[in-house]
């Protein structure tokens, strides 16, 4: 029996900013092909996110190679134990590069606990301080760590000239509200299209559109109807459509507002 044809990727003739993906981790195509497919559906700028000391130079190199690609520098909580003076120095040295738009991906992950929680908290705080010193926003990863994330953000956010995003938001409504009140956006990706993600859709419903960003987290978290494929920026319209459905607004409104939110957060 032939496989049912998946719906084509829609095009809305509006600019989009991909605020979170990992270009160096995508395997199904060369960077040029992946970026070209994203541009075809309206992606105007791409943010490739660093997660460990070893791939910070890679992320920066990709940003310098392509005019519309930007990068972040930071160490993910899974890799917090690898954060050392060299990583700290690399972020400080290269933060002034105009292609670096944030410190990230940083934060806390108590779901996998790949790293001691006290180490995670210490490195998260250090990288928040780097963002303060470098006057950059942050890209935050938090999973099953709402209480500690709230406590740390309430301590550091008032000192941050630029805030940033709590990316791939799957946390509770309390963290969502506090983060937004502190000036952060919430990053929404393909999870919002998953059948069992009612918690994420509830957060989207209760969060002002002015505080939401579009992202894919590619190559992970491919949205419906392309689950099973490697994720890529070209699938961003499906995320925008689901947000529009949840918030009962037009897709055009979602695209226009999230584009402006992205500019305000990372490019102002």
């Amino acid at each position: 029996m032939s496989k049912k044809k998946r719906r084509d990727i829609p095009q809305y003739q509006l600019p989009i900013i991909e605020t979170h993906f990992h270009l160096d981790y995508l395997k199904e195509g060369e960077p040029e092909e992946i970026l070209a497919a994203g541009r075809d559906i309206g992606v105007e700028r791409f943010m490739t996110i660093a997660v460990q000391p070893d791939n910070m130079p890679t992320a920066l190199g990709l940003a310098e190679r392509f005019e519309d690609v930007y990068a972040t520098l930071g160490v993910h909580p899974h890799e917090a134990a690898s954060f050392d003076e060299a990583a700290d120095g690399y972020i400080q040295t290269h933060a002034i590069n105009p292609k670096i738009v944030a410190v990230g991906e940083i934060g806390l992950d108590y779901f996998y606990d790949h790293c001691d929680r006290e180490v995670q908290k210490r490195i998260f705080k250090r990288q928040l301080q780097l963002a303060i010193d470098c006057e950059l926003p942050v890209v935050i990863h938090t999973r099953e760590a709402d209480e500690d994330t709230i406590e740390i953000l309430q301590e550091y956010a008032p000192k941050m000239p630029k805030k940033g995003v709590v990316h791939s938001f799957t946390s509770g409504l309390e963290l969502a509200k506090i983060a937004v009140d502190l000036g952060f956006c919430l990053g929404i990706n393909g999870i919002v299209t998953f059948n069992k993600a009612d918690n994420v859709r509830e957060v989207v419903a209760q969060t002002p559109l002015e505080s939401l960003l579009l992202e894919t987290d590619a190559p992970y978290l491919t949205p419906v109807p392309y689950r099973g494929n490697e994720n890529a920026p070209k699938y961003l319209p499906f995320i925008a459509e689901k947000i529009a459905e949840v918030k009962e607004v037009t897709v055009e409104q979602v695209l226009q507002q999230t584009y402006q939110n992205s500019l305000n957060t990372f490019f102002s």
Side-chain angles (χ1 to χ4, degrees), residues 133-174:
D133 296 342
C134 298
E135 298 187 357
L136 286 173
V138 292
V139 175
I140 294 171
H141 170 110
T142 179
R143 191 168 184 191
E144 303 292 339
D146 289 20
E147 187 176 335
D148 284 346
T149 299
I150 288 169
E151 182 179 333
I152 291 170
L153 289 184
Q154 286 178 328
E155 177 185 354
Y156 281 84
K159 299 179 282 186
M160 299 175 69
K162 297 185 177 182
K163 301 303 192 287
V165 62
V166 183
H167 113 93
S168 190
F169 197 90
T170 57
S171 298
L173 284 167
E174 182 186 11

Side-chain angles (χ1 to χ4, degrees), residues 23 38-39 57 68 73 79 106 109 132 151-152 154 165 179 187 191 193 225 254 268:
L23 182 54
R39 295 179 193 119
D68 52 2
L73 300 177
E79 311 291 337
I106 66 175
D109 193 311
I132 293 167
E151 182 179 333
I152 291 170
Q154 286 178 328
V165 62
I191 295 175
T193 70
V254 172
S268 63

Side-chain angles (χ1 to χ4, degrees), residues 34-213:
I34 293 160
L35 296 172
R39 295 179 193 119
D40 284 346
I41 58 90
V43 181
E44 181 183 274
R45 306 183 198 194
F46 304 80
M47 288 173 52
T48 189
I49 309 297
V51 293
Q52 57 186 331
D54 288 350
N55 90 312
M56 287 196 291
T58 306
L60 177 54
L62 287 165
E64 292 183 323
R65 180 176 162 192
F66 299 103
E67 184 178 359
D68 52 2
V69 175
Y70 297 81
T72 69
L73 300 177
V75 176
H76 191 286
H78 289 344
E79 311 291 337
S82 69
F83 186 92
D84 56 14
E85 288 186 11
D88 194 300
Y90 190 90
I91 295 170
Q92 292 185 62
T93 299
H94 295 281
I96 60 171
N97 189 312
K99 296 308 289 285
I100 298 300
V101 293
V103 174
E105 177 175 352
I106 66 175
L108 305 173
D109 193 311
Y110 296 171
F111 180 80
Y112 285 108
D113 269 331
H114 287 330
C115 181
D116 179 83
R117 294 183 180 186
E118 291 305 314
V119 174
Q120 289 189 49
K121 287 191 284 187
R122 177 169 57 82
I123 300 307
F124 183 25
K125 291 177 180 180
R126 173 56 193 157
Q127 292 183 100
L128 287 169
Q129 187 60 51
L130 281 171
I132 293 167
D133 296 342
C134 298
E135 298 187 357
L136 286 173
V138 292
V139 175
I140 294 171
H141 170 110
T142 179
R143 191 168 184 191
E144 303 292 339
D146 289 20
E147 187 176 335
D148 284 346
T149 299
I150 288 169
E151 182 179 333
I152 291 170
L153 289 184
Q154 286 178 328
E155 177 185 354
Y156 281 84
K159 299 179 282 186
M160 299 175 69
K162 297 185 177 182
K163 301 303 192 287
V165 62
V166 183
H167 113 93
S168 190
F169 197 90
T170 57
S171 298
L173 284 167
E174 182 186 11
L175 175 54
K177 184 179 187 309
I178 289 172
V180 168
D181 287 348
L182 289 171
F184 293 89
C185 287
L186 310 183
I188 306 301
N189 53 37
I191 295 175
V192 75
T193 70
F194 295 179
N195 288 337
K196 296 182 179 180
D198 289 337
N199 61 317
V200 175
R201 288 185 284 274
E202 184 179 7
V203 167
V204 168
Q206 297 199 34
T207 300
L209 188 54
E210 292 76 13
S211 297
L212 298 179
L213 299 181

Side-chain angles (χ1 to χ4, degrees), residues 17 19 45-47 70 101 162 262-268:
I17 297 176
T19 64
R45 306 183 198 194
F46 304 80
M47 288 173 52
Y70 297 81
V101 293
K162 297 185 177 182
S262 303
L263 290 178
N264 295 344
T265 303
F266 297 112
F267 298 98
S268 63

